[in-house]
Amino acid sequence: MIQELIPLAGKTTMRIGGTARYFAELTNTEDVEAAYGFAQQERVPLIVLGGGSNTVFADDIIEALVVRIKAENVYVDKNLVQVETGKNLPMFINEMAKQNLDLSPLTGILGSVGGAVFGNAGQGPAGIWIDTYVRNVTVFREGTWETFTKDQCDFSYRESRFKHGPGHAPVIWDVTLELPTRPQADIETDIQTLLMKRIETQPHVKTAGSCFKAVGGTPAWKLIDAAGLRGHTIGGVQIAEKHANFLLNIGEATYADAKGIVDEVKKTVKEPLDVEMRFIENDGSLAY
Ligand SMILES: Cc1cc2nc3c(=O)[nH]c(=O)nc-3n(C[C@H](O)[C@H](O)[C@H](O)COP(=O)(O)OP(=O)(O)OC[C@H]3O[C@@H](n4cnc5c(N)ncnc54)[C@H](O)[C@@H]3O)c2cc1C
């Protein structure tokens, strides 16, 4: 199951990063337990990678076991849906629409269901996030399986309990959602409208989406724009002209380029900005 020296850039939407010392795809709960045991034995961090649409890795070797969840079963019981977290979120939204179940407010968010639960992905600070639908979440952490109710998940804007805590980050394995019912045609119309809006306002190639969290109710792009940084470039990374909170890989971008831009934005913008993207260092720790 464990592979060695696997390139990571191609597994992220921004296409930045080096090589995982160890890599594994996890298809069942036994795989999860085995991966955890391996990481303990090798004394390396266990890093879960979903769709890689909010993550960049350092260049060179990441001294960690990077795992990807490959389980994506979906069990529907009326409007309660249990989904394994390797499921691709855009595909899931479309499949649910065909069953008259409405997840359309999450249209345009790339990546896996697991990544969305981890970071409570969704619309902006005043919009709808995935926690709206969550009933409970099953995770494996520090050798134990646990199921948390929605309240226990401590969701808030781009936050959940899974982002914090001692030891290895948890593997979020499945989530049960309660979805509203609406006619398929109405849901699909909304999906199309939201996709068109995204295409008009956001770049979609070699980016990891929003880099910074909103500050209070103010979107980060407004603050970055006001600081005159729209279009600013360091090496192969540019602050997108189309959306000033999106970083683009416009060439052979390096991890240092991406961090360079983040540091410059943090220094230049007066308001304290929190980094939403995951910057993974060579020892597996987070840069921000
Ligand atoms: C064009 C574009 C538009 C975007 N628009 C939005 C938006 O509107 N709203 C929004 O919130 N985000 C947006 N994003 C960011 C991104 O899509 C979300 O953050 C998404 O939820 C990340 O999912 P992922 O599976 O790709 O996560 P990854 O980037 O793979 O991982 C992100 C974090 O989640 C953790 N993680 C992933 N899966 C699991 C799991 N099963 N168990 C434990 N931890 C896990 C990882 O360890 C990592 O820390 C956008 C990105 C792009 C490229």
Side-chain angles (χ1 to χ4, degrees), residues 13 47-55 68-69 85-86 89 107-123 158 162 169-173 198 202-204 207-210 246 276 278 280 286:
T13 53
I47 297 176
V48 187
L49 180 65
S53 55
N54 207 221
T55 299
R68 206 161 209 190
I69 314 289
T85 54
L89 181 62
T107 298
I109 300 170
L110 301 188
S112 66
V113 169
V117 171
F118 179 86
N120 195 12
Q123 300 169 348
R158 299 296 182 272
F162 311 117
V171 176
I172 305 170
W173 184 253
R198 291 262 176 179
Q202 295 180 354
H204 279 82
T207 180
S210 291
F246 276 45
E276 182 177 330
R278 311 299 275 179
I280 315 271
L286 285 176

Side-chain angles (χ1 to χ4, degrees), residues 7-259:
L8 291 168
K11 299 184 189 301
T12 68
T13 53
M14 208 167 165
R15 301 282 188 270
I16 291 180
T19 303
R21 170 70 64 194
Y22 304 110
F23 182 84
E25 293 187 340
L26 312 182
T27 53
N28 54 48
T29 54
E30 288 77 22
D31 287 350
V32 177
E33 292 165 17
Y36 172 75
F38 181 86
Q40 291 282 92
Q41 177 196 310
E42 296 299 318
R43 297 175 188 277
V44 290
L46 178 68
I47 297 176
V48 187
L49 180 65
S53 55
N54 207 221
T55 299
V56 289
F57 288 98
D59 295 316
D60 303 322
I61 293 180
I62 311 296
E63 296 293 348
L65 168 60
V66 178
V67 297
R68 206 161 209 190
I69 314 289
K70 280 299 190 183
E72 49 184 40
N73 288 308
V74 178
Y75 307 96
V76 180
D77 179 11
K78 299 198 180 79
N79 66 336
L80 283 187
V81 184
Q82 186 187 21
V83 52
E84 291 174 337
T85 54
K87 184 78 185 171
N88 175 273
L89 181 62
M91 282 172 62
F92 181 54
I93 293 169
N94 288 330
E95 286 171 21
M96 289 301 97
K98 291 190 173 58
Q99 303 200 42
N100 305 311
L101 294 170
D102 187 9
L103 252 186
S104 61
L106 303 186
T107 298
I109 300 170
L110 301 188
S112 66
V113 169
V117 171
F118 179 86
N120 195 12
Q123 300 169 348
I128 292 175
W129 317 320
I130 197 168
D131 70 325
T132 304
Y133 311 101
V134 170
R135 269 279 192 102
N136 56 59
V137 179
T138 298
V139 310
F140 185 78
R141 180 175 215 155
E142 300 297 311
T144 311
W145 288 98
E146 274 180 279
T147 296
F148 297 101
T149 63
K150 173 183 175 163
D151 282 350
Q152 291 171 323
C153 292
D154 296 338
F155 288 118
S156 59
Y157 167 65
R158 299 296 182 272
E159 281 294 334
S160 73
R161 73 176 296 154
F162 311 117
K163 281 190 160 183
H164 307 281
H168 281 292
V171 176
I172 305 170
W173 184 253
D174 68 38
V175 54
T176 301
L177 305 170
E178 186 172 354
L179 301 182
T181 48
R182 270 173 82 207
Q184 176 181 350
D186 294 357
I187 301 171
E188 287 175 347
T189 301
D190 283 358
I191 290 174
Q192 280 313 314
T193 308
L194 288 166
L195 280 178
M196 290 315 292
K197 200 171 155 204
R198 291 262 176 179
I199 289 164
E200 277 164 25
T201 57
Q202 295 180 354
H204 279 82
V205 179
K206 288 191 170 180
T207 180
S210 291
C211 182
F212 298 97
K213 288 185 186 174
V215 180
T218 312
W221 70 261
K222 279 197 177 166
L223 304 172
I224 298 167
D225 198 21
L229 289 170
R230 189 185 285 267
H232 185 68
T233 304
I234 293 184
V237 176
Q238 183 176 63
I239 297 175
E241 289 284 357
K242 205 168 180 183
H243 190 303
N245 197 19
F246 276 45
L247 306 185
L248 302 181
N249 176 352
I250 54 166
E252 298 302 309
T254 65
Y255 183 69
D257 297 338
K259 277 181 70 181

